[in-house]
Every structure is written in structure tokens, then in C-alpha cells.
Amino acid sequence: MIRLHDIRYVRLGTRDLEGAVRYATTVLGLELARKEHGAAYFKSDSRDHTLCYFEGDPRDHTAAFEVDTSEELERAGAVLERSGYAVEAGKREAAEQRYVRDFLRFTDPSGNRIELVHAPQHSGRRYFPGRDAGITGFSHIGLRTLDARRDEAFWTGLLSARVSDRIGEAPLLRIDEVHHKIALFPSAHPGVQHINHQVESIDDIMRAWYQLREWNVPIRFGPGRHPTSGAMFLYFDGPDGMIYEYSTGVRLISAEEEKTYRPRSFPAVPSSFCMWGAKPDIPEFKS
């Protein structure tokens, strides 16, 4: 089994790089780390970057996960190939563009582009945001799945994820003590479905709600509270149809709890996404 250490970054293509930069800094509240070679890199914590927008097809999404050693990266490639997945070792120039020592890439059974990276760079300094959104770090992603049960078996069978809970067919998967770092939502096509950043408190959620409404940024869901993870949340529109989420208070499943933890199943209804009564305007949360 391939042991994932943490989620590392998301790469998104865009036709309007300058517009994406403005959004990421002034609306989302990330720090622009650098712009180079037709790409913009953004910090949300002490890592070199956690989001990259690059000039390209807006349907081109990649999610990256970190492994601990070069031996684990090599072993991961072998495990994937034995299981029938085409694996490509990242070239040096591409690794330099990602600010990692080594990486490999493949697609999951639904066609989502995934990278496994070793020795990603840290910045050596604290995150200094474009605006004070209260962000404490990049936390999780939603991925689209064409077959949730098949893809759940892939992520849990090969990539060490564990199911925390399910909403209908959609599993919420953890790779460490955080309730979920990956969520698989049934859809008609692959891609990153939403990107989550944790914020410090409910005050940041509510400040964002008022500020985003003032800026006429469409709110897609919330404010609300997930009955699964316990997190308070707000979902809103980003460039090229991407959905961003702020949340706070996510449940942690300790090593002691892990011994006896069993995933719960929630029906695919709005109350399974929000215990306060908010209704989602997000297609994958309505299916």
C-alpha cells in the first residue's frame, strides 16, 4: 500500500492568469509567492506553495500528495504499475516548476490527474496574505468521480486512505487524523470539484460571508455546519467554475479513536451536508 503523508498542492489551468491572480490575492486571501514561466504560485501556510494557476486549459486540474522518502516514491510507482496504471516519472524541469525534488504522475480510475511528490520545498517564512481572511492552511479537496465505489476502493486499497463517513455514494477520506483530506463526489466528468482552506474561527467565516456578498461573489453554500466532520463552512465561486471553501472546526480522529472508528453513512439529502439548514447550490451536492 502507498502511504500518503499529506495533500500538497493543486494546479489549475486558466485562460486568464491575471484575473486568477487578482482573485487568489484579493478575494481568496492567499499570498502570491511568485510568477514565472506562465504560472502563478500562491502560499496559504509555511509551504512553498499550495495552489498554482498556469496558462492553459481550465479543465486541466492536478492534485498532488506527498510521500516521505524517495524509496516510497519509487515503490509507489511500482505498485501502481503492477496494478495496471500508467505512471510517468516527472522530468527535472517539471520538478523544478513544482518546487519538489522528485515526483511521478498518473490518473485515477475516473481520469483525475494525480501527482505524488517527494521533498517539496518549504518557504522558510510565515504566510503573509493578500488580505486577512483568517486562513490557517490548505486542507482538502473534493474530486469528481465517475464511479464512487470503484474509486473508493482505489484510494483505500492502493493509497492508504480510510473512509471517515459517506454521504450517499460519496466517501470522505482521511490520510491522517483530519476527518477528510479527499472527498469523492459523483459527477459526469473528472476534475477537482472544490478546494478547501481552513480559517481560524467562525468569525472568519461570517466576515467572509459579508465581504463576499459586498463584492458580489456568488455564495454557493452556507454559512453552515457539516454533520459529518463538524466543520463550519462557506462555499463560494472562484475562477473558471472552481468552488472554494473556508471551514473551521473540522473533527480530528486520534490514533486511539482510530482503533475502533467505524464510518457512518448519511443519506444523500441537503441535511447531510448542513445540520443548520443551508441548501447547497452545488451540482455534486444535489445528486
Side-chain angles (χ1 to χ4, degrees), residues 7-21 23-24 28 30 36-42 49-64 97-98 112-115 138 140-144 189-197 236-245:
I7 190 167
R8 190 67 195 190
Y9 57 72
V10 173
R11 293 174 59 87
L12 303 174
T14 182
R15 301 292 189 206
D16 181 6
L17 186 60
E18 291 307 315
V21 169
Y23 176 90
L28 190 55
L30 303 184
E36 60 186 17
H37 310 303
Y41 299 79
F42 302 93
H49 71 281
T50 54
L51 176 64
C52 174
Y53 272 106
F54 62 91
E55 294 175 343
D57 189 337
R59 296 170 298 180
D60 188 348
H61 300 170
T62 298
Q97 291 171 355
R98 287 156 175 76
N112 292 303
R113 295 182 177 93
I114 307 297
E115 294 179 350
F138 169 47
H140 74 255
I141 58 170
L143 281 178
R144 293 184 170 92
H189 56 88
V192 176
Q193 184 263 348
H194 79 269
I195 298 172
N196 171 275
H197 292 85
F236 49 96
D237 271 0
D240 304 302
M242 183 56 64
I243 300 292
Y244 283 93
E245 179 194 12

Side-chain angles (χ1 to χ4, degrees), residues 107-176:
T107 58
D108 75 1
S110 283
N112 292 303
R113 295 182 177 93
I114 307 297
E115 294 179 350
L116 301 183
V117 307
H118 165 57
Q121 291 185 19
H122 284 258
S123 70
R125 59 181 178 81
R126 65 181 182 176
Y127 149 65
F128 191 79
R131 75 172 185 89
D132 184 12
I135 292 173
T136 58
F138 169 47
S139 181
H140 74 255
I141 58 170
L143 281 178
R144 293 184 170 92
T145 173
L146 308 185
D147 184 330
R149 294 192 182 190
R150 177 200 63 195
D151 289 0
E152 178 185 316
F154 169 79
W155 283 92
T156 58
L158 286 184
L159 294 174
S160 74
R162 284 99 63 202
V163 178
S164 293
D165 292 310
R166 297 181 185 88
I167 303 175
E169 293 289 300
L172 310 180
L173 305 172
R174 67 188 184 277
I175 58 177
D176 53 22

